[in-house]
Amino acid sequence: MTAALSLIRNDDQSAHASPGHPERPDRVVAILEGIAADQQLAALPWLDAPVGRRALPRLVHSEEEVRRVEGLAVKGGGWFDPDTYCTEDSYVVALNAAACASRAAEAVIQGETRSAFAVIRPPGHHATPNLPMGFCLFNNAAIAVRAAQNAGATRVAILDIDVHHGNGTQDIFYADSSVLYASLHQFPWYPGTGHASDRGDPGASGTTVNVPVATGTSAARWLELFDDVVLPAVDAFDPEFVVVSAGFDAHRDDPLAELRLEDATYSAIAERVRTLADAHCEGRSLWLLEGGYDLRAIAASVAGCLHVLAA
Ligand SMILES: [Zn+2]
């Protein structure tokens, strides 16, 4: 029997940590505690987490990018840029996070589960083909897309609901008409990319959809833009699989950004994604944790999404 929703996590995520940094292991701990405390969510099945292999990041990153991460870890760790740390364990942790993303994508495409949520760290959507950046080492969403395509999905849509623009994911698929990348993000804000006029290379025009939103944007306005701009583009694209770059830092309580989404907004987003995936691809969606730095908000918002996906 196909499960409605399965979960996956990389248990070594706690080894990727830097004192005082907001992208911290407690984020995942808070989500897992929220799941354990909820009778319905605690009963959800977990997929076994595979061991990461170097071939996974190489699906979307250059050899140089992978060497950068591996090399800094082997040296004992350090910083790729003022935001982005690496510990001696971070290379292996990031490989394992990517392996969870890849495994979950395969589980959905192969019909083991209708949907999946990967509670993984480090996040991925800022990592470009050649550079780790913005707290991100390997681009988990992009790796999941390639894994899904290798498992038989042709057209894949990525919905990036993180408050920051996923510049890395956009770069990876900018010239690829088989992948739709759609993002709503605070603008101007880190990393500075994501203009509405950036729509993909001429050969892939329209498969990049950027919706920059102003500081202070309300939940109602955010959902209106999602309905008016993102959903029609995804409908027209007719995906066989939907990947959600699930960042929760557009929440009003988040310390790293200035939008005003609420706990219930994330359930509302999950309802929309579920309806979309039901209409196009038998409900097949994969949610990958990206940002979200207020522990209460992230635990409550993830739980809301899980309830919608499990129903
Ligand atoms: Zn973010």
Side-chain angles (χ1 to χ4, degrees):
M1 198 181 106
T2 302
L5 169 65
S6 302
L7 307 175
I8 194 166
R9 65 179 190 264
N10 59 325
D11 275 328
D12 60 352
Q13 64 91 16
S14 55
H16 177 69
S18 181
H21 198 288
E23 205 294 282
R24 60 204 192 278
D26 281 354
R27 300 175 57 237
V28 160
V29 171
I31 293 168
L32 297 180
E33 286 177 354
I35 291 170
D38 181 308
Q39 198 175 9
Q40 191 191 347
L41 301 184
L44 289 170
W46 287 85
L47 299 167
D48 288 333
V51 173
R53 293 171 294 108
R54 186 190 185 83
L56 284 171
R58 288 288 288 115
L59 291 171
V60 302
H61 293 290
S62 64
E63 177 64 22
E64 183 193 2
E65 202 273 357
V66 180
R67 274 203 197 128
R68 245 186 246 272
V69 179
E70 182 180 28
L72 195 50
V74 165
K75 275 195 266 178
W79 294 77
F80 297 109
D81 61 39
D83 296 318
T84 314
Y85 65 86
C86 179
T87 72
E88 62 183 344
D89 299 311
S90 293
Y91 171 65
V92 171
V93 176
L95 282 182
N96 288 336
C100 287
S102 166
R103 167 75 181 98
E106 289 166 359
V108 174
I109 298 303
Q110 291 165 358
E112 291 172 55
T113 185
R114 182 183 69 206
S115 61
F117 196 113
V119 188
I120 53 175
R121 291 182 57 253
H125 73 153
H126 294 304
T128 76
N130 293 315
L131 277 182
M133 63 175 276
F135 312 170
C136 300
L137 305 187
F138 299 139
N139 197 309
N140 301 314
I143 291 164
V145 167
R146 290 304 186 217
Q149 291 185 318
N150 288 340
T154 306
R155 292 183 314 284
V156 182
I158 304 171
L159 305 182
D160 191 331
I161 62 171
D162 190 280
V163 78
H164 303 97
H165 180 242
N167 60 298
T169 314
Q170 172 173 299
D171 282 2
I172 289 165
F173 299 116
Y174 204 65
D176 186 341
S177 62
S178 73
V179 179
L180 177 84
Y181 174 73
S183 172
L184 277 107
H185 43 272
Q186 184 177 336
F187 191 89
W189 203 242
Y190 183 88
T193 51
H195 294 264
S197 56
D198 294 341
R199 295 179 45 78
D201 271 352
S205 184
T207 57
T208 297
V209 178
N210 283 308
V211 186
V213 304
T215 296
T217 294
S218 69
R221 179 62 182 146
W222 194 101
L223 287 172
E224 196 173 74
L225 288 165
F226 190 80
D227 290 343
D228 291 350
V229 184
V230 173
L231 289 184
V234 182
D235 269 329
F237 181 74
D238 189 22
E240 294 165 355
F241 182 45
V242 177
V243 173
V244 182
S245 258
F248 297 87
D249 40 10
H251 194 286
R252 62 187 311 141
D253 294 340
D254 197 273
L256 294 196
E258 297 158 345
L259 301 193
R260 295 193 288 130
L261 275 56
E262 296 161 17
D263 295 357
T265 316
Y266 289 96
S267 313
I269 296 167
E271 296 275 9
R272 284 160 166 79
V273 173
R274 172 112 195 249
T275 301
L276 183 78
D278 283 345
H280 290 278
C281 48
E282 293 159 356
R284 288 194 288 267
S285 72
L286 167 61
W287 296 61
L288 303 168
L289 182 64
E290 300 279 5
Y293 304 96
D294 181 85
L295 299 183
R296 189 214 61 79
I298 190 174
S301 302
V302 169
C305 291
L306 298 181
H307 276 288
V308 171
L309 296 171

Coordinates of all heavy atoms in Angstrom, one line a residue, residues 71-165:
G71 N 37.2 19.7 0.8 CA 38.6 20.2 1.2 C 38.5 21.0 2.5 O 39.4 20.8 3.3
L72 N 37.5 21.9 2.7 CA 37.5 22.7 3.9 C 37.1 21.8 5.1 O 37.7 22.0 6.2 CB 36.4 23.8 3.7 CG 36.5 24.9 4.8 CD1 37.9 25.5 4.9 CD2 35.5 26.0 4.4
A73 N 36.3 20.8 4.9 CA 36.0 19.8 6.0 C 37.3 19.0 6.4 O 37.6 18.9 7.6 CB 34.9 18.9 5.6
V74 N 38.0 18.6 5.4 CA 39.2 17.8 5.7 C 40.2 18.6 6.4 O 40.9 18.1 7.3 CB 39.8 17.3 4.3 CG1 41.3 16.8 4.5 CG2 39.0 16.2 3.7
K75 N 40.2 19.9 6.2 CA 41.2 20.8 6.9 C 40.7 21.1 8.3 O 41.3 21.9 9.0 CB 41.3 22.1 6.1 CG 42.4 22.1 5.0 CD 42.8 23.5 4.5 CE 42.0 23.8 3.3 NZ 42.2 25.2 2.8
G76 N 39.5 20.6 8.7 CA 39.0 20.8 10.0 C 37.9 21.8 10.1 O 37.3 22.1 11.1
G77 N 37.5 22.4 8.9 CA 36.4 23.4 8.8 C 36.8 24.8 8.6 O 38.0 25.1 8.6
G78 N 35.9 25.7 8.6 CA 36.1 27.1 8.3 C 34.9 27.8 7.7 O 33.8 27.3 7.9
W79 N 35.1 28.8 7.0 CA 34.0 29.6 6.4 C 34.2 29.8 4.9 O 35.2 30.1 4.4 CB 33.9 31.0 7.1 CG 33.6 30.9 8.5 CD1 34.4 30.5 9.6 CD2 32.3 31.1 9.1 NE1 33.7 30.5 10.8 CE2 32.4 30.9 10.5 CE3 31.0 31.5 8.6 CZ2 31.3 31.0 11.4 CZ3 29.9 31.6 9.5 CH2 30.1 31.4 10.9
F80 N 33.1 29.5 4.2 CA 33.1 29.8 2.7 C 32.9 31.3 2.4 O 33.4 31.8 1.4 CB 32.0 29.0 2.0 CG 32.2 27.5 2.1 CD1 31.4 26.7 2.9 CD2 33.3 26.8 1.5 CE1 31.5 25.4 3.1 CE2 33.4 25.5 1.6 CZ 32.6 24.7 2.4
D81 N 32.1 31.9 3.3 CA 31.8 33.3 3.2 C 31.4 33.7 4.6 O 31.2 32.8 5.5 CB 30.8 33.7 2.1 CG 29.5 33.0 2.3 OD1 29.0 32.9 3.5 OD2 28.9 32.6 1.3
P82 N 31.1 35.0 4.9 CA 30.8 35.4 6.3 C 29.5 34.7 6.8 O 29.3 34.7 8.0 CB 30.6 36.9 6.2 CG 31.5 37.3 5.0 CD 31.3 36.2 4.0
D83 N 28.7 34.2 6.0 CA 27.5 33.5 6.4 C 27.6 32.0 6.5 O 26.8 31.4 7.2 CB 26.3 33.7 5.4 CG 25.9 35.2 5.2 OD1 25.8 35.9 6.3 OD2 25.7 35.6 4.1
T84 N 28.5 31.4 5.8 CA 28.4 30.0 5.5 C 29.6 29.2 6.1 O 30.7 29.3 5.6 CB 28.4 29.8 4.0 OG1 27.4 30.7 3.5 CG2 28.0 28.3 3.7
Y85 N 29.3 28.4 7.2 CA 30.4 27.7 7.9 C 30.4 26.3 7.4 O 29.5 25.7 6.8 CB 30.1 27.8 9.4 CG 28.9 27.1 9.9 CD1 28.9 25.7 10.2 CD2 27.7 27.8 10.1 CE1 27.7 25.1 10.6 CE2 26.5 27.2 10.6 CZ 26.6 25.8 10.8 OH 25.4 25.2 11.3
C86 N 31.6 25.6 7.8 CA 31.8 24.2 7.5 C 32.6 23.7 8.6 O 33.5 24.3 9.1 CB 32.7 24.2 6.2 SG 33.1 22.5 5.6
T87 N 32.1 22.5 9.1 CA 32.9 21.9 10.2 C 33.6 20.7 9.6 O 33.4 20.4 8.4 CB 31.9 21.3 11.3 OG1 31.2 20.2 10.8 CG2 30.9 22.4 11.8
E88 N 34.4 20.0 10.4 CA 35.1 18.8 9.9 C 34.1 17.7 9.4 O 34.4 16.9 8.6 CB 36.0 18.2 10.9 CG 35.3 17.8 12.2 CD 36.3 17.3 13.2 OE1 37.5 17.0 12.9 OE2 35.9 17.1 14.4
D89 N 32.9 17.8 9.9 CA 31.9 16.8 9.6 C 30.9 17.3 8.5 O 30.1 16.5 8.0 CB 31.0 16.4 10.8 CG 31.9 15.8 11.9 OD1 32.6 14.9 11.6 OD2 31.8 16.3 13.0
S90 N 31.0 18.5 8.1 CA 29.9 19.1 7.3 C 29.8 18.5 5.9 O 28.7 18.4 5.3 CB 30.1 20.6 7.1 OG 29.9 21.3 8.4
Y91 N 30.9 18.1 5.3 CA 30.9 17.4 4.0 C 30.0 16.2 4.0 O 29.1 16.0 3.2 CB 32.3 17.1 3.5 CG 32.4 16.3 2.3 CD1 32.0 16.8 1.0 CD2 33.0 15.0 2.3 CE1 32.0 16.0 -0.1 CE2 33.1 14.2 1.2 CZ 32.6 14.7 0.0 OH 32.7 13.9 -1.2
V92 N 30.3 15.3 5.0 CA 29.5 14.1 5.1 C 28.1 14.4 5.5 O 27.2 13.8 4.9 CB 30.2 13.2 6.2 CG1 29.3 12.0 6.5 CG2 31.5 12.7 5.7
V93 N 27.8 15.3 6.4 CA 26.5 15.7 6.8 C 25.7 16.2 5.5 O 24.6 15.8 5.3 CB 26.4 16.7 7.9 CG1 25.0 17.2 8.2 CG2 27.1 16.2 9.2
A94 N 26.3 17.0 4.7 CA 25.7 17.6 3.6 C 25.4 16.5 2.5 O 24.4 16.5 1.8 CB 26.5 18.7 3.0
L95 N 26.4 15.6 2.4 CA 26.1 14.4 1.5 C 24.9 13.6 1.9 O 24.1 13.2 1.1 CB 27.4 13.5 1.4 CG 28.6 13.9 0.6 CD1 29.6 12.7 0.7 CD2 28.2 14.1 -0.8
N96 N 24.8 13.4 3.3 CA 23.7 12.6 3.8 C 22.4 13.3 3.6 O 21.3 12.7 3.4 CB 24.0 12.2 5.2 CG 25.1 11.2 5.3 OD1 25.3 10.4 4.4 ND2 25.8 11.1 6.5
A97 N 22.4 14.7 3.8 CA 21.2 15.4 3.6 C 20.7 15.3 2.1 O 19.5 15.1 1.8 CB 21.4 16.9 3.9
A98 N 21.7 15.4 1.2 CA 21.4 15.2 -0.2 C 20.9 13.8 -0.5 O 19.9 13.7 -1.3 CB 22.6 15.5 -1.1
A99 N 21.4 12.9 0.2 CA 21.0 11.5 0.0 C 19.5 11.3 0.4 O 18.8 10.5 -0.2 CB 21.9 10.5 0.7
C100 N 19.2 11.9 1.5 CA 17.8 11.9 2.0 C 16.8 12.5 1.0 O 15.8 12.0 0.7 CB 17.6 12.6 3.3 SG 18.3 11.8 4.7
A101 N 17.3 13.6 0.4 CA 16.4 14.3 -0.6 C 16.3 13.4 -1.8 O 15.2 13.3 -2.4 CB 17.1 15.6 -1.0
S102 N 17.3 12.8 -2.3 CA 17.3 11.9 -3.4 C 16.5 10.7 -3.2 O 15.6 10.3 -4.0 CB 18.8 11.5 -3.7 OG 18.8 10.5 -4.6
R103 N 16.7 10.1 -2.0 CA 15.9 8.9 -1.6 C 14.4 9.1 -1.6 O 13.6 8.3 -2.1 CB 16.4 8.3 -0.3 CG 15.5 7.3 0.4 CD 15.7 5.9 -0.3 NE 14.8 4.9 0.3 CZ 13.6 4.5 -0.1 NH1 13.1 5.1 -1.2 NH2 12.9 3.7 0.5
A104 N 14.1 10.3 -1.0 CA 12.7 10.6 -0.8 C 12.0 10.9 -2.2 O 10.9 10.5 -2.5 CB 12.5 11.9 0.0
A105 N 12.8 11.5 -3.1 CA 12.3 11.7 -4.5 C 12.0 10.4 -5.2 O 11.0 10.2 -5.8 CB 13.3 12.6 -5.3
E106 N 12.9 9.5 -5.0 CA 12.8 8.1 -5.6 C 11.6 7.4 -5.0 O 10.8 6.8 -5.7 CB 14.0 7.3 -5.5 CG 15.2 7.8 -6.3 CD 16.5 7.2 -5.9 OE1 16.6 6.4 -4.9 OE2 17.5 7.6 -6.6
A107 N 11.4 7.5 -3.7 CA 10.3 6.9 -3.1 C 8.9 7.4 -3.6 O 8.0 6.6 -3.8 CB 10.4 7.1 -1.5
V108 N 8.9 8.7 -3.9 CA 7.6 9.2 -4.4 C 7.4 8.8 -5.8 O 6.3 8.3 -6.2 CB 7.6 10.8 -4.3 CG1 6.4 11.4 -5.0 CG2 7.7 11.2 -2.8
I109 N 8.5 8.9 -6.7 CA 8.3 8.6 -8.1 C 8.0 7.1 -8.3 O 7.3 6.7 -9.1 CB 9.6 9.0 -8.9 CG1 9.8 10.5 -8.8 CG2 9.5 8.5 -10.3 CD1 8.7 11.3 -9.3
Q110 N 8.6 6.3 -7.4 CA 8.4 4.8 -7.5 C 7.2 4.3 -6.8 O 6.9 3.1 -6.8 CB 9.7 4.1 -7.0 CG 10.9 4.3 -7.9 CD 12.2 3.9 -7.3 OE1 12.2 3.5 -6.1 NE2 13.3 4.1 -8.1
G111 N 6.4 5.3 -6.2 CA 5.1 4.9 -5.7 C 5.1 4.3 -4.3 O 4.1 3.8 -3.9
E112 N 6.2 4.4 -3.6 CA 6.2 3.9 -2.2 C 5.4 4.8 -1.3 O 4.8 4.4 -0.3 CB 7.6 3.9 -1.6 CG 8.6 2.9 -2.2 CD 10.0 3.1 -1.7 OE1 10.2 3.1 -0.5 OE2 10.9 3.2 -2.6
T113 N 5.3 6.1 -1.7 CA 4.6 7.1 -0.9 C 4.1 8.2 -1.8 O 4.8 8.5 -2.8 CB 5.6 7.7 0.2 OG1 4.8 8.5 1.1 CG2 6.7 8.4 -0.4
R114 N 2.9 8.7 -1.5 CA 2.4 9.8 -2.4 C 3.2 11.1 -2.2 O 3.5 11.8 -3.2 CB 0.9 10.0 -2.0 CG 0.2 11.1 -2.9 CD -1.2 11.3 -2.4 NE -1.2 12.0 -1.1 CZ -2.2 11.9 -0.2 NH1 -3.2 11.2 -0.4 NH2 -2.1 12.6 1.0
S115 N 3.6 11.4 -1.0 CA 4.3 12.6 -0.7 C 5.4 12.3 0.4 O 5.3 11.3 1.0 CB 3.4 13.7 -0.2 OG 2.8 13.4 1.0
A116 N 6.4 13.2 0.5 CA 7.4 13.0 1.5 C 7.9 14.4 2.0 O 7.8 15.4 1.3 CB 8.6 12.3 0.9
F117 N 8.3 14.4 3.2 CA 8.9 15.6 3.8 C 10.2 15.2 4.4 O 10.3 14.3 5.2 CB 8.0 16.2 4.9 CG 8.3 17.6 5.3 CD1 7.4 18.6 5.0 CD2 9.5 17.9 5.9 CE1 7.6 19.9 5.3 CE2 9.8 19.3 6.2 CZ 8.8 20.3 6.0
A118 N 11.3 15.9 3.9 CA 12.6 15.7 4.4 C 13.0 16.7 5.4 O 13.2 17.9 5.1 CB 13.6 15.6 3.2
V119 N 13.2 16.3 6.7 CA 13.6 17.2 7.7 C 15.2 17.1 7.8 O 15.8 16.3 8.5 CB 13.0 16.7 9.1 CG1 13.3 17.8 10.2 CG2 11.5 16.5 9.0
I120 N 15.8 17.9 6.9 CA 17.2 17.8 6.7 C 18.0 19.1 6.9 O 17.4 20.2 6.7 CB 17.5 17.2 5.3 CG1 16.8 18.0 4.2 CG2 17.1 15.7 5.2 CD1 17.2 17.6 2.8
R121 N 19.2 19.0 7.2 CA 20.2 20.1 7.3 C 21.5 19.6 6.8 O 21.8 18.4 7.0 CB 20.4 20.6 8.7 CG 19.2 21.4 9.4 CD 19.6 21.9 10.8 NE 20.8 22.7 10.8 CZ 22.0 22.4 11.2 NH1 22.2 21.2 11.7 NH2 23.0 23.2 11.2
P122 N 22.4 20.5 6.3 CA 22.1 21.9 6.0 C 21.2 22.1 4.8 O 20.9 21.2 4.0 CB 23.6 22.4 5.6 CG 24.3 21.2 5.1 CD 23.7 20.1 5.9
P123 N 20.6 23.3 4.7 CA 19.7 23.6 3.6 C 20.5 23.7 2.3 O 21.7 23.6 2.3 CB 19.1 25.0 4.0 CG 20.1 25.6 4.9 CD 20.8 24.5 5.6
G124 N 19.8 24.0 1.2 CA 20.5 23.9 -0.1 C 20.2 25.0 -1.2 O 21.1 25.1 -2.1
H125 N 19.2 25.7 -1.1 CA 18.7 26.5 -2.3 C 19.7 27.6 -2.8 O 19.5 28.1 -3.9 CB 17.3 26.9 -2.2 CG 17.0 28.0 -1.3 ND1 15.9 28.9 -1.5 CD2 17.6 28.5 -0.2 CE1 15.9 29.8 -0.5 NE2 16.9 29.5 0.3
H126 N 20.6 28.1 -1.9 CA 21.5 29.1 -2.3 C 22.8 28.5 -3.0 O 23.5 29.2 -3.6 CB 22.0 30.0 -1.2 CG 20.9 30.8 -0.6 ND1 20.1 31.7 -1.3 CD2 20.4 30.9 0.7 CE1 19.2 32.3 -0.5 NE2 19.4 31.8 0.7
A127 N 23.0 27.2 -2.8 CA 24.3 26.6 -3.4 C 24.2 26.6 -4.9 O 23.2 26.0 -5.5 CB 24.4 25.2 -2.8
T128 N 25.1 27.2 -5.6 CA 25.1 27.4 -7.0 C 25.9 26.2 -7.6 O 26.6 25.4 -6.9 CB 25.8 28.7 -7.5 OG1 27.2 28.6 -7.3 CG2 25.3 29.9 -6.6
P129 N 26.0 26.1 -8.9 CA 26.8 25.0 -9.5 C 28.2 25.0 -9.0 O 28.8 23.9 -8.8 CB 26.7 25.3 -11.0 CG 25.4 26.0 -11.2 CD 25.2 26.8 -10.0
N130 N 28.7 26.2 -8.8 CA 30.2 26.3 -8.4 C 30.5 26.7 -7.0 O 31.6 26.7 -6.6 CB 30.9 27.2 -9.4 CG 30.9 26.7 -10.8 OD1 31.2 25.5 -11.0 ND2 30.5 27.5 -11.8
L131 N 29.5 27.2 -6.2 CA 29.8 27.8 -4.9 C 28.8 27.4 -3.8 O 27.6 27.6 -4.0 CB 29.7 29.3 -5.0 CG 30.9 30.1 -5.5 CD1 30.5 31.6 -5.5 CD2 32.1 29.9 -4.7
P132 N 29.3 27.0 -2.7 CA 28.5 26.9 -1.5 C 28.3 28.4 -1.0 O 29.2 29.2 -1.1 CB 29.3 26.1 -0.5 CG 30.7 26.1 -1.0 CD 30.7 26.5 -2.4
M133 N 27.1 28.7 -0.5 CA 26.9 30.1 0.0 C 25.5 30.1 0.7 O 24.7 29.2 0.6 CB 26.9 31.1 -1.2 CG 25.8 30.9 -2.2 SD 25.7 32.3 -3.4 CE 24.8 33.6 -2.6
G134 N 25.3 31.2 1.5 CA 24.0 31.4 2.1 C 23.6 30.2 3.0 O 22.4 29.9 3.0
F135 N 24.4 29.7 3.9 CA 24.2 28.6 4.8 C 24.1 27.3 4.0 O 23.9 26.2 4.7 CB 22.9 28.7 5.6 CG 22.7 30.0 6.3 CD1 21.4 30.3 6.9 CD2 23.6 31.0 6.4 CE1 21.2 31.5 7.6 CE2 23.4 32.2 7.1 CZ 22.1 32.4 7.7
C136 N 24.3 27.2 2.7 CA 24.0 26.0 1.9 C 25.2 25.4 1.3 O 26.1 26.2 0.7 CB 23.0 26.4 0.8 SG 21.4 27.1 1.3
L137 N 25.4 24.1 1.4 CA 26.6 23.5 0.9 C 26.3 22.7 -0.4 O 27.0 23.0 -1.4 CB 27.2 22.5 1.9 CG 27.5 23.1 3.3 CD1 28.2 22.1 4.2 CD2 28.3 24.4 3.2
F138 N 25.3 21.9 -0.4 CA 24.8 21.2 -1.6 C 23.4 21.5 -1.9 O 22.6 21.5 -0.9 CB 25.1 19.7 -1.6 CG 26.5 19.3 -1.4 CD1 26.9 18.3 -0.5 CD2 27.5 19.9 -2.1 CE1 28.2 17.9 -0.4 CE2 28.9 19.6 -1.9 CZ 29.2 18.5 -1.1
N139 N 23.0 21.6 -3.1 CA 21.6 22.0 -3.4 C 20.7 20.8 -3.4 O 20.4 20.1 -4.4 CB 21.6 22.7 -4.8 CG 20.3 23.5 -5.0 OD1 19.2 23.0 -4.8 ND2 20.4 24.8 -5.3
N140 N 20.1 20.6 -2.2 CA 19.2 19.4 -2.0 C 18.1 19.3 -3.0 O 17.7 18.2 -3.5 CB 18.7 19.3 -0.6 CG 19.8 19.3 0.4 OD1 20.8 18.6 0.3 ND2 19.7 20.1 1.4
A141 N 17.4 20.5 -3.2 CA 16.2 20.5 -4.1 C 16.6 20.1 -5.6 O 16.0 19.3 -6.2 CB 15.6 21.8 -4.1
A142 N 17.7 20.7 -6.0 CA 18.2 20.4 -7.4 C 18.6 18.9 -7.5 O 18.3 18.2 -8.5 CB 19.4 21.3 -7.8
I143 N 19.3 18.4 -6.5 CA 19.7 17.0 -6.5 C 18.4 16.1 -6.5 O 18.4 15.1 -7.3 CB 20.6 16.7 -5.3 CG1 21.9 17.4 -5.5 CG2 20.8 15.2 -5.1 CD1 22.8 17.5 -4.2
A144 N 17.4 16.5 -5.7 CA 16.2 15.7 -5.7 C 15.5 15.7 -7.1 O 14.9 14.7 -7.6 CB 15.2 16.2 -4.7
V145 N 15.5 16.8 -7.8 CA 14.9 16.9 -9.1 C 15.7 16.0 -10.1 O 15.0 15.2 -10.8 CB 15.0 18.3 -9.7 CG1 14.7 18.4 -11.2 CG2 14.1 19.2 -8.9
R146 N 17.0 16.0 -10.1 CA 17.7 15.1 -11.0 C 17.5 13.6 -10.6 O 17.4 12.7 -11.5 CB 19.2 15.4 -10.9 CG 19.6 16.7 -11.6 CD 19.1 16.8 -13.0 NE 19.6 18.0 -13.7 CZ 18.9 18.7 -14.6 NH1 17.6 18.3 -14.9 NH2 19.4 19.8 -15.1
A147 N 17.4 13.3 -9.3 CA 17.1 11.9 -8.9 C 15.7 11.5 -9.4 O 15.5 10.4 -9.9 CB 17.2 11.8 -7.4
A148 N 14.8 12.4 -9.3 CA 13.4 12.1 -9.8 C 13.4 11.9 -11.3 O 12.7 11.0 -11.8 CB 12.5 13.3 -9.4
Q149 N 14.2 12.7 -12.0 CA 14.2 12.6 -13.5 C 14.9 11.3 -13.8 O 14.5 10.6 -14.8 CB 14.9 13.8 -14.1 CG 14.0 15.0 -14.0 CD 14.6 16.3 -14.7 OE1 15.9 16.5 -14.6 NE2 13.8 17.0 -15.3
N150 N 15.9 10.9 -13.1 CA 16.6 9.6 -13.3 C 15.7 8.4 -13.0 O 15.8 7.3 -13.6 CB 17.9 9.5 -12.5 CG 19.0 10.4 -13.0 OD1 18.9 10.9 -14.2 ND2 19.9 10.7 -12.2
A151 N 14.7 8.7 -12.1 CA 13.7 7.6 -11.8 C 12.5 7.6 -12.7 O 11.6 6.8 -12.5 CB 13.3 7.8 -10.3
G152 N 12.5 8.6 -13.7 CA 11.4 8.5 -14.7 C 10.5 9.7 -14.8 O 9.7 9.8 -15.7
A153 N 10.6 10.7 -13.9 CA 9.8 11.9 -14.1 C 10.5 12.8 -15.1 O 11.7 13.0 -15.1 CB 9.7 12.7 -12.7
T154 N 9.7 13.4 -16.0 CA 10.2 14.2 -17.0 C 10.2 15.7 -16.6 O 11.2 16.3 -16.5 CB 9.5 14.0 -18.4 OG1 9.6 12.6 -18.7 CG2 10.2 14.8 -19.5
R155 N 9.0 16.2 -16.4 CA 8.8 17.6 -16.1 C 8.6 17.8 -14.6 O 7.7 17.2 -14.0 CB 7.6 18.2 -16.8 CG 7.8 18.3 -18.3 CD 6.6 19.0 -18.9 NE 5.3 18.5 -18.4 CZ 4.8 17.3 -18.8 NH1 5.4 16.5 -19.7 NH2 3.7 16.9 -18.3
V156 N 9.5 18.5 -13.9 CA 9.4 18.7 -12.5 C 9.3 20.2 -12.2 O 10.0 21.0 -12.7 CB 10.7 18.2 -11.8 CG1 10.6 18.3 -10.3 CG2 10.9 16.7 -12.2
A157 N 8.4 20.5 -11.3 CA 8.2 21.9 -10.8 C 8.8 22.1 -9.4 O 8.6 21.2 -8.6 CB 6.7 22.3 -10.8
I158 N 9.6 23.1 -9.2 CA 10.1 23.5 -7.9 C 9.4 24.7 -7.4 O 9.4 25.8 -8.1 CB 11.6 23.8 -7.9 CG1 12.4 22.6 -8.5 CG2 12.1 24.1 -6.5 CD1 13.8 22.9 -8.7
L159 N 8.7 24.6 -6.3 CA 8.1 25.8 -5.6 C 9.0 26.2 -4.4 O 9.1 25.4 -3.5 CB 6.7 25.5 -5.2 CG 5.7 24.9 -6.3 CD1 4.3 24.7 -5.7 CD2 5.7 25.9 -7.5
D160 N 9.6 27.4 -4.5 CA 10.5 27.8 -3.5 C 9.7 28.9 -2.6 O 9.6 30.0 -3.0 CB 11.7 28.4 -4.1 CG 12.8 28.7 -3.1 OD1 12.5 28.9 -1.9 OD2 14.0 28.6 -3.5
I161 N 9.3 28.4 -1.4 CA 8.5 29.3 -0.5 C 9.4 29.9 0.5 O 8.9 30.7 1.4 CB 7.3 28.6 0.1 CG1 7.7 27.4 1.0 CG2 6.4 28.1 -1.0 CD1 6.6 26.8 1.8
D162 N 10.7 29.6 0.6 CA 11.6 30.3 1.5 C 11.6 31.8 1.2 O 11.4 32.2 0.1 CB 13.0 29.7 1.3 CG 14.0 30.2 2.3 OD1 14.5 31.3 2.2 OD2 14.3 29.4 3.2
V163 N 11.8 32.6 2.3 CA 11.7 34.1 2.1 C 12.8 34.6 1.2 O 12.7 35.7 0.7 CB 11.7 34.8 3.5 CG1 13.1 34.8 4.1 CG2 11.1 36.1 3.4
H164 N 13.9 33.8 1.1 CA 15.0 34.3 0.3 C 14.9 33.7 -1.1 O 14.4 32.5 -1.3 CB 16.4 33.8 0.9 CG 16.5 34.4 2.3 ND1 16.2 33.6 3.5 CD2 16.9 35.6 2.8 CE1 16.5 34.4 4.5 NE2 16.9 35.5 4.2
H165 N 15.4 34.4 -2.1 CA 15.4 33.8 -3.4 C 16.5 32.7 -3.5 O 17.6 32.8 -3.1 CB 15.8 34.9 -4.5 CG 15.9 34.4 -5.9 ND1 17.0 34.4 -6.6 CD2 14.9 33.9 -6.6 CE1 16.7 33.9 -7.8 NE2 15.4 33.6 -7.9

